[in-house]
């Protein structure tokens, strides 16, 4: 019985949901209320933004894998670079912010970016290691 190739997208969603819950809980428990409200982008928006990109990238990689496994690695590198460029432009208001919490917001942005990059990388490695 062959497993569903799109299962990794659903698993990524649940991992992202768990990470979001932990992240949001940490903010609610340890950060002052005005801390998060001063951010340019809310945590919810950042998680949604990066999850949508991750889902699109994983969907494209699965489709490429079904056609030609030799192009998966190159496609992953291209799509990740494209995501990084879009994230850079998305981050411009944070980089130009004069808020006293701008440093924390930059760290928050990069932590979420790295978490989703790890998810994409692990799934890509599993795709490449899956012998068909």
């Amino acid at each position: 019985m062959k497993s569903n190739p799109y299962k990794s997208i659903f698993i990524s969603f649940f991992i992202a949901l768990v990470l979001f819950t932990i992240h949001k809980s940490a903010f609610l428990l340890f950060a002052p209320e005005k801390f998060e409200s001063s951010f340019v982008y809310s945590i919810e928006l950042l998680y949604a933004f990066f999850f949508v990109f991750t889902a699109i990238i994983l969907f494209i990689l699965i489709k490429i894998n079904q056609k030609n496994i030799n192009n998966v690695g190159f496609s992953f590198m291209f799509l990740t670079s494209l995501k990084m460029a879009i994230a850079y432009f998305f981050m411009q208001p944070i980089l130009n912010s004069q808020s006293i919490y701008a440093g924390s917001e930059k760290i928050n942005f990069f932590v979420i970016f790295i978490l989703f990059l790890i998810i994409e990388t692990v799934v890509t490695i599993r795709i490449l290691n899956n012998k068909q």
Side-chain angles (χ1 to χ4, degrees), residues 85-105:
I86 293 169
Y88 175 75
F89 287 111
F90 190 65
M91 189 177 179
Q92 283 303 308
I94 299 170
L95 294 173
N96 298 327
S97 174
Q98 299 299 321
S99 169
I100 59 172
Y101 301 115
S104 299
E105 188 172 8

Side-chain angles (χ1 to χ4, degrees), residues 60-78:
I60 291 170
L61 291 176
I62 290 167
K63 286 296 186 186
I64 290 172
N65 182 44
Q66 291 171 347
K67 303 239 185 245
N68 186 359
I69 193 167
N70 295 328
N71 294 329
V72 172
F74 295 118
S75 300
F76 171 74
M77 292 300 291
F78 172 75

